[in-house]
Amino acid sequence: MNQSTVSSQWNFDLAELTSALRDRFGARVRLGEPLSRHGTFGVGGPADAWLAIDNEPDMIALVSLAAERRWPLMLVGNGTNLLYTDAGVRGIVVQNALAQWELTNLGDGTARLVGGAGLNLTADGLPLLWQVRGTSLLPWIT
């Protein structure tokens, strides 16, 4: 397969995609990355481009760039219960590693917890909610 042009189904130039992603995201872009490294089942062929994004401005920039240039974009989490094809994935596979969280008091005795897909409920400080006397985390999640 010609590395410059991927399938006619997507009709995009891989060299242009590579150049634009490297210009914006640098060495974080992995070309031909085996997806078997990013799923719990340990299977999957290469992605044209793989990138983990851990902040909102970069995620917005990537999604905007892909939409503007009509590049295929597959958004994934940690790869749990995800089965990649051995043929791989054309375009960009981006791991949503956003770990920010926000707890908002709704003023009616409840609160809303909003967290990114990369949030680790144990490592990122949320267990502290369990230590507040008379509170439970579950009723706070709406």
Side-chain angles (χ1 to χ4, degrees):
M1 171 186 289
N2 181 338
Q3 286 297 316
S4 179
T5 303
V6 182
S7 81
S8 60
Q9 173 188 1
W10 293 110
N11 195 25
F12 69 92
D13 186 296
L14 186 56
E16 177 190 348
L17 179 143
T18 300
S19 175
L21 290 179
R22 285 272 166 92
D23 285 348
R24 175 64 174 86
F25 302 103
R28 293 186 293 165
V29 178
R30 298 183 197 166
L31 303 176
E33 178 71 6
L35 294 172
S36 58
R37 295 180 182 167
H38 303 285
T40 55
F41 293 104
V43 297
D48 287 332
W50 168 269
L51 182 59
I53 298 288
D54 62 1
N55 66 76
E56 193 172 325
D58 279 352
M59 184 65 78
I60 291 169
L62 177 63
V63 171
S64 297
L65 185 63
E68 173 187 306
R69 303 211 183 168
R70 304 196 51 80
W71 293 333
L73 179 68
M74 178 183 216
L75 184 64
V76 300
N78 287 330
T80 305
N81 299 325
L82 183 60
L83 189 60
Y84 294 109
T85 175
D86 286 336
V89 174
R90 303 288 63 92
I92 307 162
V93 178
V94 59
Q95 179 186 18
N96 181 352
L98 298 172
Q100 297 84 5
W101 60 275
E102 178 180 350
L103 184 63
T104 305
N105 183 344
L106 298 179
D108 60 358
T110 64
R112 177 178 298 125
L113 175 63
V114 178
L119 182 64
N120 179 327
L121 293 177
T122 302
D124 292 323
L126 291 179
L128 297 177
L129 293 174
W130 291 106
Q131 298 172 9
V132 178
R133 184 180 175 114
T135 65
S136 169
L137 179 61
L138 296 178
W140 291 28
I141 301 174
T142 60

